Amino acid sequence: MQGSAAVVTGLAAANCRQNLAGPPAGGGANDGTLHIYTWANYTDDGMAAAFTERTGIPVVVDIFDSNEVMLTRLQAGGGDAYSIIYPSDYMVSEMLELGLLTELDQSRITGLENLKAQWANPAYDPNNAHSVPFCWGTTGLLYNHEASPGEPTDWNFLWDNQAKLSRRITMLDDMRETLGATLKSLGYSYNSNNPAEIEAAYNRLLELRPHIAAFKTTGFENELLSGDLSVSMAYSSDAIALTLEDDRMQYVIPESGASLWTDTLAIPATAPNVDAAYQWINFLLEPEVASAAVERLFFATANQAAFDQLPAGIQNNADLYPPEAVLAKSEGIVAVDTASTDLFDQFWTEVTSA
Amino acid sequence: MKIQNSNFPYPPTLLTFPTLLTPMTPAHSPTPSNTWADRLAPRLWLGPVTLLGPAGVWLLVLLVLPTLLILEISLVPGLRLGQPSGGYGLGNYLQILQPVYLRVIWRSLVFAVGSTALCLLMGFPVAYWLALMSPQRWRNLLLVAFILPLWTSSLLRAYAWTTILRPSGVLNGMLTAIGLPAQNWLNTPTAVFIGLTYSFLPYMVLILYASLEKLDIRLLEAAADLGATPRQCFWKITVPQTLPGIAAASLLVFISTLSDFVVPTLLGGASSMNISRLIYNQFLGPTRAWGFGSALSMVLILAVSLAIALLIRYGDRNTVTEA
């Protein structure tokens, strides 16, 4: 049994197969393989093959599609299945509170000094003590300019054109992002703890709700391309891939500010094969590896040395690297207090179940 | 279970089965006072245990224990994974009574009852034609053709409907070609009804077909000979004779549509929150309210169990009356 499991994982590593399924058979065992749990399109065969060639450690990649799914699997006993996970900023804070992350031994990590100043001491994990920023992006509006009644520049576009856009809008199926964008459109913070502000955002979202076709985090792309949808709220990583695929697609970071998200590399508290995990982190912090990955996989890097090596075309892509003025108005989503979480939750349930 | 078997617990073949597994007591036994049957009797339990054991363990470990676990979690109010919880209580069940959740349950019931009715209305004529009127030599082929879509993933089939129903999709292409107004049905409850009916129609037809196939044609002939109109024949003979099949098919489709997740998620848009999506959100959404999610699950399990109880009581009547 053990032997056949090794053969299976060996084969999987050779293809760098990306599993959507659960933890791999024998994943809990320290079998010398590096098990990674990450977002879709955050690794590719080339990256894994280069790592295996360098270190001799086979890599198996599993995919999650939301932080909550990842957290649930780790809490439900998958904590010893993965050596490396990719939680987002707010999830790092939450997992820290739950004691689910290993405190990083920074003497074993090389290249932290290459991080951009903005990520040297992030609010979600002071001094990067438990996580290493891997990539970042924004949440904005992706639109088909042939099917849109104008060029959106801000969140208010949705409310101002709601009649023309009726049932041609999707928003993210993500409580903090969608209610947060509504808060921002009212001039409030994504991370408001003020019940009156949160309620005002709820009422404003309720006004738009009859015109929203669906709350979707994925699966809106085809309808947007065919012109059946006009505007979709989207993460920049998904949106930019689509804008490069089709000229009619445009991505805009709203003027009044968007959410800034960071996805990190972290080691679960009960991770097997911690040595391999550190090797993976060091590998990805190398400027050559990081810039090659950015060129292939279209996300923004938090690594200044890697950024400097990028071709000018990518460095100047304002969708990927927005101007400072826009960044200054944008915010990272951080945990709000318990009463506000419950309020967000109650209003989100009302909006999505009405 | 046929009634004629009720005083005879095991089919005869099972009686001989234990003898294959355990050594037979020698015929020249030192205790000749025991009859052969007496010696065999203590081992009677071996047969059922061997036959039912594997499935029993399977069900115990993968169905009964998890359900009990869900029941326990549902009785801890406000339980969130990774957070300390208070004691036991009924808070999670009381939370279900809030209007917003009752609306979701009501919507799930409307989806389930409505699509079951549509399946029955469309499925009965098809099954009737297949069982009683279609050419004998094509019958099996036609039946296979009808259930062929079931061989692909339900996710793919639901996704295919987005291509058909979207404003620039196949359906509107056809509608406008014949001069009818275009419809914007994707992301509406209409799309959910269409998707659910499409998904579960083959089950309806299969069960109704099995029921109609057993219909005694001589009854219809006798009724016709005695002057009954076709309409009277249908309502007084065909429907009553196949009522258990209709009940079985309807309840099965009702159970499946009530708990369907894929179709409302992909086709229903912003107005299609149903109970299974709500449960999913409690476990994998931002709230991670496992206690409340478990209470919702228990309500769903109870509703489905009730439907299954009705199924056993009314759906199976033909086998009982046969016996």
Side-chain angles (χ1 to χ4, degrees), chain A residues 141-152 157 165 168 223-232 242-243 246-252:
Chain A
L141 294 173
L142 174 67
Y143 63 100
N144 180 336
H145 74 78
E146 282 183 2
S148 172
E151 311 276 306
F157 179 82
L165 287 172
R168 305 174 65 83
E223 287 172 67
L224 209 52
L225 284 167
S226 66
D228 294 314
L229 289 173
S230 302
V231 193
S232 289
L242 216 59
T243 60
D246 194 304
D247 287 340
R248 293 169 301 165
M249 296 307 213
Q250 315 256 318
Y251 177 68
V252 63

PDB file of all heavy atoms in Angstrom, chain A residues 141-152 157 165 168 223-232 242-243 246-252:
ATOM      1  N   LEU A 141     -13.276  46.432 -11.501  1.00  0.00           N
ATOM      2  CA  LEU A 141     -14.354  46.115 -12.435  1.00  0.00           C
ATOM      3  C   LEU A 141     -13.768  45.652 -13.769  1.00  0.00           C
ATOM      4  O   LEU A 141     -12.928  46.333 -14.362  1.00  0.00           O
ATOM      5  CB  LEU A 141     -15.242  47.341 -12.658  1.00  0.00           C
ATOM      6  CG  LEU A 141     -16.023  47.812 -11.427  1.00  0.00           C
ATOM      7  CD1 LEU A 141     -16.737  49.131 -11.714  1.00  0.00           C
ATOM      8  CD2 LEU A 141     -17.026  46.754 -10.987  1.00  0.00           C
ATOM      9  N   LEU A 142     -14.214  44.491 -14.221  1.00  0.00           N
ATOM     10  CA  LEU A 142     -13.835  43.968 -15.524  1.00  0.00           C
ATOM     11  C   LEU A 142     -15.044  44.192 -16.429  1.00  0.00           C
ATOM     12  O   LEU A 142     -16.163  43.850 -16.048  1.00  0.00           O
ATOM     13  CB  LEU A 142     -13.526  42.474 -15.399  1.00  0.00           C
ATOM     14  CG  LEU A 142     -13.242  41.702 -16.682  1.00  0.00           C
ATOM     15  CD1 LEU A 142     -11.940  42.171 -17.298  1.00  0.00           C
ATOM     16  CD2 LEU A 142     -13.160  40.208 -16.393  1.00  0.00           C
ATOM     17  N   TYR A 143     -14.839  44.809 -17.590  1.00  0.00           N
ATOM     18  CA  TYR A 143     -16.008  45.068 -18.430  1.00  0.00           C
ATOM     19  C   TYR A 143     -15.700  44.808 -19.900  1.00  0.00           C
ATOM     20  O   TYR A 143     -14.540  44.815 -20.330  1.00  0.00           O
ATOM     21  CB  TYR A 143     -16.534  46.488 -18.220  1.00  0.00           C
ATOM     22  CG  TYR A 143     -15.576  47.596 -18.611  1.00  0.00           C
ATOM     23  CD1 TYR A 143     -15.714  48.261 -19.832  1.00  0.00           C
ATOM     24  CD2 TYR A 143     -14.543  47.985 -17.768  1.00  0.00           C
ATOM     25  CE1 TYR A 143     -14.844  49.279 -20.193  1.00  0.00           C
ATOM     26  CE2 TYR A 143     -13.667  48.996 -18.122  1.00  0.00           C
ATOM     27  CZ  TYR A 143     -13.820  49.637 -19.336  1.00  0.00           C
ATOM     28  OH  TYR A 143     -12.952  50.629 -19.691  1.00  0.00           O
ATOM     29  N   ASN A 144     -16.779  44.559 -20.632  1.00  0.00           N
ATOM     30  CA  ASN A 144     -16.701  44.373 -22.074  1.00  0.00           C
ATOM     31  C   ASN A 144     -17.098  45.708 -22.694  1.00  0.00           C
ATOM     32  O   ASN A 144     -18.259  46.109 -22.627  1.00  0.00           O
ATOM     33  CB  ASN A 144     -17.680  43.266 -22.485  1.00  0.00           C
ATOM     34  CG  ASN A 144     -17.675  42.996 -23.963  1.00  0.00           C
ATOM     35  OD1 ASN A 144     -17.304  43.861 -24.761  1.00  0.00           O
ATOM     36  ND2 ASN A 144     -18.099  41.809 -24.344  1.00  0.00           N
ATOM     37  N   HIS A 145     -16.149  46.425 -23.289  1.00  0.00           N
ATOM     38  CA  HIS A 145     -16.470  47.813 -23.663  1.00  0.00           C
ATOM     39  C   HIS A 145     -17.473  47.885 -24.809  1.00  0.00           C
ATOM     40  O   HIS A 145     -18.100  48.907 -25.016  1.00  0.00           O
ATOM     41  CB  HIS A 145     -15.193  48.629 -23.924  1.00  0.00           C
ATOM     42  CG  HIS A 145     -14.503  48.327 -25.208  1.00  0.00           C
ATOM     43  ND1 HIS A 145     -14.938  48.811 -26.409  1.00  0.00           N
ATOM     44  CD2 HIS A 145     -13.400  47.588 -25.475  1.00  0.00           C
ATOM     45  CE1 HIS A 145     -14.140  48.378 -27.372  1.00  0.00           C
ATOM     46  NE2 HIS A 145     -13.201  47.644 -26.829  1.00  0.00           N
ATOM     47  N   GLU A 146     -17.665  46.771 -25.518  1.00  0.00           N
ATOM     48  CA  GLU A 146     -18.701  46.778 -26.564  1.00  0.00           C
ATOM     49  C   GLU A 146     -20.096  46.632 -25.978  1.00  0.00           C
ATOM     50  O   GLU A 146     -21.086  46.973 -26.620  1.00  0.00           O
ATOM     51  CB  GLU A 146     -18.446  45.628 -27.551  1.00  0.00           C
ATOM     52  CG  GLU A 146     -17.332  45.939 -28.530  1.00  0.00           C
ATOM     53  CD  GLU A 146     -17.137  44.817 -29.536  1.00  0.00           C
ATOM     54  OE1 GLU A 146     -17.898  43.837 -29.480  1.00  0.00           O
ATOM     55  OE2 GLU A 146     -16.214  44.942 -30.351  1.00  0.00           O
ATOM     56  N   ALA A 147     -20.170  46.059 -24.777  1.00  0.00           N
ATOM     57  CA  ALA A 147     -21.484  45.791 -24.188  1.00  0.00           C
ATOM     58  C   ALA A 147     -21.789  46.713 -23.018  1.00  0.00           C
ATOM     59  O   ALA A 147     -22.795  46.557 -22.348  1.00  0.00           O
ATOM     60  CB  ALA A 147     -21.546  44.334 -23.718  1.00  0.00           C
ATOM     61  N   SER A 148     -20.913  47.688 -22.795  1.00  0.00           N
ATOM     62  CA  SER A 148     -21.093  48.540 -21.629  1.00  0.00           C
ATOM     63  C   SER A 148     -21.601  49.911 -22.067  1.00  0.00           C
ATOM     64  O   SER A 148     -21.186  50.428 -23.102  1.00  0.00           O
ATOM     65  CB  SER A 148     -19.748  48.685 -20.904  1.00  0.00           C
ATOM     66  OG  SER A 148     -19.846  49.640 -19.883  1.00  0.00           O
ATOM     67  N   PRO A 149     -22.512  50.530 -21.290  1.00  0.00           N
ATOM     68  CA  PRO A 149     -23.044  51.855 -21.658  1.00  0.00           C
ATOM     69  C   PRO A 149     -22.027  52.978 -21.484  1.00  0.00           C
ATOM     70  O   PRO A 149     -22.376  54.128 -21.684  1.00  0.00           O
ATOM     71  CB  PRO A 149     -24.229  52.030 -20.698  1.00  0.00           C
ATOM     72  CG  PRO A 149     -23.928  51.142 -19.548  1.00  0.00           C
ATOM     73  CD  PRO A 149     -23.133  49.999 -20.083  1.00  0.00           C
ATOM     74  N   GLY A 150     -20.819  52.674 -21.137  1.00  0.00           N
ATOM     75  CA  GLY A 150     -19.789  53.708 -20.974  1.00  0.00           C
ATOM     76  C   GLY A 150     -18.564  53.060 -20.377  1.00  0.00           C
ATOM     77  O   GLY A 150     -18.527  51.858 -20.181  1.00  0.00           O
ATOM     78  N   GLU A 151     -17.556  53.888 -20.138  1.00  0.00           N
ATOM     79  CA  GLU A 151     -16.343  53.359 -19.542  1.00  0.00           C
ATOM     80  C   GLU A 151     -16.393  53.604 -18.043  1.00  0.00           C
ATOM     81  O   GLU A 151     -16.351  54.756 -17.616  1.00  0.00           O
ATOM     82  CB  GLU A 151     -15.110  54.064 -20.123  1.00  0.00           C
ATOM     83  CG  GLU A 151     -15.088  54.144 -21.643  1.00  0.00           C
ATOM     84  CD  GLU A 151     -14.540  52.877 -22.274  1.00  0.00           C
ATOM     85  OE1 GLU A 151     -13.428  52.475 -21.890  1.00  0.00           O
ATOM     86  OE2 GLU A 151     -15.218  52.294 -23.135  1.00  0.00           O
ATOM     87  N   PRO A 152     -16.521  52.553 -17.251  1.00  0.00           N
ATOM     88  CA  PRO A 152     -16.572  52.781 -15.803  1.00  0.00           C
ATOM     89  C   PRO A 152     -15.240  53.320 -15.294  1.00  0.00           C
ATOM     90  O   PRO A 152     -14.178  52.949 -15.796  1.00  0.00           O
ATOM     91  CB  PRO A 152     -16.849  51.399 -15.223  1.00  0.00           C
ATOM     92  CG  PRO A 152     -16.484  50.427 -16.282  1.00  0.00           C
ATOM     93  CD  PRO A 152     -16.619  51.130 -17.588  1.00  0.00           C
ATOM     94  N   PHE A 157     -20.381  53.852 -11.017  1.00  0.00           N
ATOM     95  CA  PHE A 157     -20.860  53.552 -12.366  1.00  0.00           C
ATOM     96  C   PHE A 157     -22.021  52.550 -12.323  1.00  0.00           C
ATOM     97  O   PHE A 157     -22.991  52.675 -13.071  1.00  0.00           O
ATOM     98  CB  PHE A 157     -19.685  52.978 -13.176  1.00  0.00           C
ATOM     99  CG  PHE A 157     -20.028  52.598 -14.578  1.00  0.00           C
ATOM    100  CD1 PHE A 157     -20.062  53.548 -15.587  1.00  0.00           C
ATOM    101  CD2 PHE A 157     -20.308  51.274 -14.902  1.00  0.00           C
ATOM    102  CE1 PHE A 157     -20.374  53.193 -16.882  1.00  0.00           C
ATOM    103  CE2 PHE A 157     -20.622  50.911 -16.200  1.00  0.00           C
ATOM    104  CZ  PHE A 157     -20.648  51.883 -17.194  1.00  0.00           C
ATOM    105  N   LEU A 165     -27.800  48.727 -17.048  1.00  0.00           N
ATOM    106  CA  LEU A 165     -26.994  47.551 -16.738  1.00  0.00           C
ATOM    107  C   LEU A 165     -27.823  46.437 -16.107  1.00  0.00           C
ATOM    108  O   LEU A 165     -27.287  45.463 -15.622  1.00  0.00           O
ATOM    109  CB  LEU A 165     -25.873  47.935 -15.764  1.00  0.00           C
ATOM    110  CG  LEU A 165     -24.723  48.757 -16.326  1.00  0.00           C
ATOM    111  CD1 LEU A 165     -23.813  49.227 -15.210  1.00  0.00           C
ATOM    112  CD2 LEU A 165     -23.929  47.927 -17.320  1.00  0.00           C
ATOM    113  N   ARG A 168     -27.094  42.735 -16.032  1.00  0.00           N
ATOM    114  CA  ARG A 168     -25.880  42.588 -16.826  1.00  0.00           C
ATOM    115  C   ARG A 168     -24.650  42.789 -15.949  1.00  0.00           C
ATOM    116  O   ARG A 168     -23.577  43.097 -16.430  1.00  0.00           O
ATOM    117  CB  ARG A 168     -25.866  43.596 -17.977  1.00  0.00           C
ATOM    118  CG  ARG A 168     -27.122  43.518 -18.857  1.00  0.00           C
ATOM    119  CD  ARG A 168     -27.145  44.614 -19.901  1.00  0.00           C
ATOM    120  NE  ARG A 168     -26.054  44.436 -20.836  1.00  0.00           N
ATOM    121  CZ  ARG A 168     -26.090  43.617 -21.877  1.00  0.00           C
ATOM    122  NH1 ARG A 168     -27.166  42.899 -22.105  1.00  0.00           N
ATOM    123  NH2 ARG A 168     -25.049  43.506 -22.673  1.00  0.00           N
ATOM    124  N   GLU A 223     -19.929  34.661 -20.308  1.00  0.00           N
ATOM    125  CA  GLU A 223     -21.053  35.572 -20.520  1.00  0.00           C
ATOM    126  C   GLU A 223     -20.575  36.997 -20.762  1.00  0.00           C
ATOM    127  O   GLU A 223     -21.212  37.759 -21.480  1.00  0.00           O
ATOM    128  CB  GLU A 223     -22.000  35.539 -19.323  1.00  0.00           C
ATOM    129  CG  GLU A 223     -22.817  34.264 -19.255  1.00  0.00           C
ATOM    130  CD  GLU A 223     -23.597  34.202 -17.959  1.00  0.00           C
ATOM    131  OE1 GLU A 223     -24.499  35.021 -17.785  1.00  0.00           O
ATOM    132  OE2 GLU A 223     -23.272  33.342 -17.120  1.00  0.00           O
ATOM    133  N   LEU A 224     -19.445  37.322 -20.161  1.00  0.00           N
ATOM    134  CA  LEU A 224     -18.876  38.653 -20.380  1.00  0.00           C
ATOM    135  C   LEU A 224     -18.337  38.760 -21.810  1.00  0.00           C
ATOM    136  O   LEU A 224     -18.531  39.759 -22.499  1.00  0.00           O
ATOM    137  CB  LEU A 224     -17.758  38.877 -19.356  1.00  0.00           C
ATOM    138  CG  LEU A 224     -17.446  40.280 -18.885  1.00  0.00           C
ATOM    139  CD1 LEU A 224     -18.694  40.998 -18.405  1.00  0.00           C
ATOM    140  CD2 LEU A 224     -16.427  40.234 -17.764  1.00  0.00           C
ATOM    141  N   LEU A 225     -17.680  37.688 -22.255  1.00  0.00           N
ATOM    142  CA  LEU A 225     -17.125  37.687 -23.613  1.00  0.00           C
ATOM    143  C   LEU A 225     -18.230  37.732 -24.660  1.00  0.00           C
ATOM    144  O   LEU A 225     -18.090  38.380 -25.695  1.00  0.00           O
ATOM    145  CB  LEU A 225     -16.268  36.425 -23.822  1.00  0.00           C
ATOM    146  CG  LEU A 225     -14.880  36.438 -23.171  1.00  0.00           C
ATOM    147  CD1 LEU A 225     -14.273  35.050 -23.176  1.00  0.00           C
ATOM    148  CD2 LEU A 225     -13.964  37.414 -23.891  1.00  0.00           C
ATOM    149  N   SER A 226     -19.346  37.052 -24.382  1.00  0.00           N
ATOM    150  CA  SER A 226     -20.430  37.032 -25.374  1.00  0.00           C
ATOM    151  C   SER A 226     -21.266  38.297 -25.313  1.00  0.00           C
ATOM    152  O   SER A 226     -22.169  38.479 -26.131  1.00  0.00           O
ATOM    153  CB  SER A 226     -21.320  35.815 -25.143  1.00  0.00           C
ATOM    154  OG  SER A 226     -21.995  35.938 -23.914  1.00  0.00           O
ATOM    155  N   GLY A 227     -20.997  39.167 -24.338  1.00  0.00           N
ATOM    156  CA  GLY A 227     -21.753  40.418 -24.242  1.00  0.00           C
ATOM    157  C   GLY A 227     -23.060  40.288 -23.500  1.00  0.00           C
ATOM    158  O   GLY A 227     -23.839  41.231 -23.434  1.00  0.00           O
ATOM    159  N   ASP A 228     -23.336  39.112 -22.915  1.00  0.00           N
ATOM    160  CA  ASP A 228     -24.564  38.956 -22.139  1.00  0.00           C
ATOM    161  C   ASP A 228     -24.447  39.627 -20.785  1.00  0.00           C
ATOM    162  O   ASP A 228     -25.441  39.980 -20.169  1.00  0.00           O
ATOM    163  CB  ASP A 228     -24.887  37.474 -21.964  1.00  0.00           C
ATOM    164  CG  ASP A 228     -25.222  36.829 -23.299  1.00  0.00           C
ATOM    165  OD1 ASP A 228     -25.996  37.435 -24.045  1.00  0.00           O
ATOM    166  OD2 ASP A 228     -24.701  35.744 -23.596  1.00  0.00           O
ATOM    167  N   LEU A 229     -23.212  39.777 -20.334  1.00  0.00           N
ATOM    168  CA  LEU A 229     -22.954  40.590 -19.147  1.00  0.00           C
ATOM    169  C   LEU A 229     -22.147  41.795 -19.604  1.00  0.00           C
ATOM    170  O   LEU A 229     -21.409  41.718 -20.591  1.00  0.00           O
ATOM    171  CB  LEU A 229     -22.136  39.809 -18.117  1.00  0.00           C
ATOM    172  CG  LEU A 229     -22.814  38.663 -17.373  1.00  0.00           C
ATOM    173  CD1 LEU A 229     -21.804  37.913 -16.528  1.00  0.00           C
ATOM    174  CD2 LEU A 229     -23.943  39.183 -16.502  1.00  0.00           C
ATOM    175  N   SER A 230     -22.278  42.919 -18.897  1.00  0.00           N
ATOM    176  CA  SER A 230     -21.495  44.097 -19.249  1.00  0.00           C
ATOM    177  C   SER A 230     -20.311  44.282 -18.319  1.00  0.00           C
ATOM    178  O   SER A 230     -19.205  44.545 -18.759  1.00  0.00           O
ATOM    179  CB  SER A 230     -22.362  45.355 -19.185  1.00  0.00           C
ATOM    180  OG  SER A 230     -23.452  45.224 -20.052  1.00  0.00           O
ATOM    181  N   VAL A 231     -20.572  44.178 -17.011  1.00  0.00           N
ATOM    182  CA  VAL A 231     -19.539  44.458 -16.015  1.00  0.00           C
ATOM    183  C   VAL A 231     -19.534  43.361 -14.967  1.00  0.00           C
ATOM    184  O   VAL A 231     -20.597  42.935 -14.513  1.00  0.00           O
ATOM    185  CB  VAL A 231     -19.811  45.796 -15.279  1.00  0.00           C
ATOM    186  CG1 VAL A 231     -18.591  46.216 -14.488  1.00  0.00           C
ATOM    187  CG2 VAL A 231     -20.220  46.880 -16.238  1.00  0.00           C
ATOM    188  N   SER A 232     -18.343  42.908 -14.597  1.00  0.00           N
ATOM    189  CA  SER A 232     -18.213  41.969 -13.497  1.00  0.00           C
ATOM    190  C   SER A 232     -17.163  42.484 -12.531  1.00  0.00           C
ATOM    191  O   SER A 232     -16.093  42.906 -12.948  1.00  0.00           O
ATOM    192  CB  SER A 232     -17.776  40.583 -14.005  1.00  0.00           C
ATOM    193  OG  SER A 232     -18.821  39.963 -14.700  1.00  0.00           O
ATOM    194  N   LEU A 242      -7.883  37.790 -18.706  1.00  0.00           N
ATOM    195  CA  LEU A 242      -8.931  37.912 -19.724  1.00  0.00           C
ATOM    196  C   LEU A 242      -8.691  39.109 -20.648  1.00  0.00           C
ATOM    197  O   LEU A 242      -8.953  39.036 -21.856  1.00  0.00           O
ATOM    198  CB  LEU A 242     -10.294  38.033 -19.031  1.00  0.00           C
ATOM    199  CG  LEU A 242     -11.464  37.356 -19.725  1.00  0.00           C
ATOM    200  CD1 LEU A 242     -11.207  35.875 -19.887  1.00  0.00           C
ATOM    201  CD2 LEU A 242     -12.746  37.570 -18.943  1.00  0.00           C
ATOM    202  N   THR A 243      -8.174  40.214 -20.081  1.00  0.00           N
ATOM    203  CA  THR A 243      -7.916  41.387 -20.937  1.00  0.00           C
ATOM    204  C   THR A 243      -6.823  41.075 -21.960  1.00  0.00           C
ATOM    205  O   THR A 243      -6.837  41.610 -23.060  1.00  0.00           O
ATOM    206  CB  THR A 243      -7.492  42.623 -20.125  1.00  0.00           C
ATOM    207  OG1 THR A 243      -6.297  42.296 -19.414  1.00  0.00           O
ATOM    208  CG2 THR A 243      -8.547  43.066 -19.157  1.00  0.00           C
ATOM    209  N   ASP A 246      -8.533  38.944 -24.849  1.00  0.00           N
ATOM    210  CA  ASP A 246      -9.537  39.533 -25.727  1.00  0.00           C
ATOM    211  C   ASP A 246      -9.509  41.056 -25.605  1.00  0.00           C
ATOM    212  O   ASP A 246      -9.605  41.596 -24.508  1.00  0.00           O
ATOM    213  CB  ASP A 246     -10.927  39.003 -25.328  1.00  0.00           C
ATOM    214  CG  ASP A 246     -11.959  39.293 -26.394  1.00  0.00           C
ATOM    215  OD1 ASP A 246     -12.118  40.478 -26.747  1.00  0.00           O
ATOM    216  OD2 ASP A 246     -12.603  38.349 -26.870  1.00  0.00           O
ATOM    217  N   ASP A 247      -9.386  41.750 -26.747  1.00  0.00           N
ATOM    218  CA  ASP A 247      -9.230  43.203 -26.732  1.00  0.00           C
ATOM    219  C   ASP A 247     -10.451  43.944 -26.205  1.00  0.00           C
ATOM    220  O   ASP A 247     -10.346  45.085 -25.763  1.00  0.00           O
ATOM    221  CB  ASP A 247      -8.936  43.714 -28.151  1.00  0.00           C
ATOM    222  CG  ASP A 247      -7.524  43.362 -28.568  1.00  0.00           C
ATOM    223  OD1 ASP A 247      -6.714  43.087 -27.653  1.00  0.00           O
ATOM    224  OD2 ASP A 247      -7.233  43.354 -29.774  1.00  0.00           O
ATOM    225  N   ARG A 248     -11.625  43.324 -26.297  1.00  0.00           N
ATOM    226  CA  ARG A 248     -12.827  44.038 -25.845  1.00  0.00           C
ATOM    227  C   ARG A 248     -12.883  44.134 -24.328  1.00  0.00           C
ATOM    228  O   ARG A 248     -13.660  44.887 -23.778  1.00  0.00           O
ATOM    229  CB  ARG A 248     -14.073  43.304 -26.344  1.00  0.00           C
ATOM    230  CG  ARG A 248     -14.232  43.333 -27.860  1.00  0.00           C
ATOM    231  CD  ARG A 248     -15.323  42.379 -28.273  1.00  0.00           C
ATOM    232  NE  ARG A 248     -15.002  41.033 -27.839  1.00  0.00           N
ATOM    233  CZ  ARG A 248     -15.874  40.034 -27.799  1.00  0.00           C
ATOM    234  NH1 ARG A 248     -17.115  40.223 -28.143  1.00  0.00           N
ATOM    235  NH2 ARG A 248     -15.498  38.829 -27.404  1.00  0.00           N
ATOM    236  N   MET A 249     -12.076  43.317 -23.656  1.00  0.00           N
ATOM    237  CA  MET A 249     -12.115  43.278 -22.200  1.00  0.00           C
ATOM    238  C   MET A 249     -11.196  44.329 -21.604  1.00  0.00           C
ATOM    239  O   MET A 249     -10.042  44.447 -21.996  1.00  0.00           O
ATOM    240  CB  MET A 249     -11.653  41.911 -21.705  1.00  0.00           C
ATOM    241  CG  MET A 249     -12.560  40.825 -22.145  1.00  0.00           C
ATOM    242  SD  MET A 249     -14.182  41.285 -21.641  1.00  0.00           S
ATOM    243  CE  MET A 249     -14.804  39.790 -21.331  1.00  0.00           C
ATOM    244  N   GLN A 250     -11.705  45.077 -20.659  1.00  0.00           N
ATOM    245  CA  GLN A 250     -10.905  46.087 -19.983  1.00  0.00           C
ATOM    246  C   GLN A 250     -11.076  45.918 -18.485  1.00  0.00           C
ATOM    247  O   GLN A 250     -12.147  45.531 -18.020  1.00  0.00           O
ATOM    248  CB  GLN A 250     -11.395  47.492 -20.357  1.00  0.00           C
ATOM    249  CG  GLN A 250     -11.664  47.687 -21.810  1.00  0.00           C
ATOM    250  CD  GLN A 250     -10.571  48.476 -22.484  1.00  0.00           C
ATOM    251  OE1 GLN A 250     -10.093  49.452 -21.940  1.00  0.00           O
ATOM    252  NE2 GLN A 250     -10.165  48.049 -23.661  1.00  0.00           N
ATOM    253  N   TYR A 251     -10.020  46.241 -17.760  1.00  0.00           N
ATOM    254  CA  TYR A 251     -10.067  46.178 -16.309  1.00  0.00           C
ATOM    255  C   TYR A 251      -9.831  47.574 -15.764  1.00  0.00           C
ATOM    256  O   TYR A 251      -8.988  48.306 -16.282  1.00  0.00           O
ATOM    257  CB  TYR A 251      -8.992  45.219 -15.793  1.00  0.00           C
ATOM    258  CG  TYR A 251      -8.908  45.127 -14.281  1.00  0.00           C
ATOM    259  CD1 TYR A 251      -9.941  44.544 -13.560  1.00  0.00           C
ATOM    260  CD2 TYR A 251      -7.810  45.615 -13.590  1.00  0.00           C
ATOM    261  CE1 TYR A 251      -9.880  44.460 -12.184  1.00  0.00           C
ATOM    262  CE2 TYR A 251      -7.736  45.526 -12.208  1.00  0.00           C
ATOM    263  CZ  TYR A 251      -8.778  44.948 -11.509  1.00  0.00           C
ATOM    264  OH  TYR A 251      -8.719  44.859 -10.149  1.00  0.00           O
ATOM    265  N   VAL A 252     -10.606  47.961 -14.766  1.00  0.00           N
ATOM    266  CA  VAL A 252     -10.397  49.281 -14.185  1.00  0.00           C
ATOM    267  C   VAL A 252     -10.372  49.172 -12.663  1.00  0.00           C
ATOM    268  O   VAL A 252     -11.155  48.425 -12.072  1.00  0.00           O
ATOM    269  CB  VAL A 252     -11.459  50.297 -14.665  1.00  0.00           C
ATOM    270  CG1 VAL A 252     -12.850  49.879 -14.211  1.00  0.00           C
ATOM    271  CG2 VAL A 252     -11.157  51.694 -14.155  1.00  0.00           C
TER     272      VAL A 252
END
